[in-house]
Amino acid sequence: MHDEFLCHVTGYGTCGGRRIGVPLGTYRAPTLALALWWLRDRASWIAERLDPQPEAGHFPPGALAPVADTVPDVPAVLRAWCGDMAQQELVADELAAGRLVRIAASDDTTEYELLAESVDALRMQRTAAALFTPVA
């Protein structure tokens, strides 16, 4: 069983013709449950900022405008992932097995990526690489 998990959230966009990543958060989770909680929390956080509820009192009238139906709905994708128990179990199984998990959603301008991986798996990969590195 893997005990610690490193979680990252990054937004990717294009600037000057180059793909640029902007870190939106990192968390070293001491348990699998906390890693899953943090990923769901960050996905919800992104969704709320991209698609705030119009009835929230802190927006001036007319500040929010609907987008066309053809625009990919990143907030809906992230909210659906957060509420899908089967997906949560799949992510938990992958992390518990030591595999990297990537959840991504994108629209016309930005890709939002949530990553999680076992700290133990990372250590094992580094150790294995060091053991099998040829010496000149």
Side-chain angles (χ1 to χ4, degrees):
M1 177 64 179
H2 298 271
D3 294 330
E4 274 186 292
F5 301 89
L6 194 55
C7 307
H8 304 279
V9 178
T10 307
Y12 293 95
T14 303
C15 181
R18 294 181 41 206
R19 182 174 161 92
I20 303 294
V22 177
L24 301 175
T26 299
Y27 177 57
R28 189 171 182 146
T31 66
L32 177 59
L34 284 173
L36 291 169
W37 170 83
W38 191 83
L39 290 171
R40 282 190 308 270
D41 181 69
R42 293 294 85 195
S44 295
W45 179 82
I46 291 168
E48 183 57 30
R49 269 123 195 100
L50 293 176
D51 185 20
Q53 300 305 315
E55 59 274 1
H58 56 278
F59 295 107
L64 300 177
V67 297
D69 290 338
T70 58
V71 174
D73 193 348
V74 170
V77 169
L78 294 175
R79 287 181 177 122
W81 178 79
C82 288
D84 187 337
M85 288 300 111
Q87 284 294 316
Q88 300 303 310
E89 288 179 23
L90 178 62
V91 168
D93 291 345
E94 292 294 306
L95 287 173
R99 290 187 282 277
L100 172 72
V101 172
R102 178 179 186 263
I103 298 105
S106 59
D107 57 24
D108 294 342
T109 62
T110 308
E111 178 182 43
Y112 300 91
E113 176 184 76
L114 296 100
L115 289 177
E117 57 191 328
S118 163
V119 172
D120 294 333
L122 288 170
R123 287 181 185 140
M124 288 187 281
Q125 289 171 358
R126 287 185 191 133
T127 301
L131 291 174
F132 299 107
T133 302
V135 178

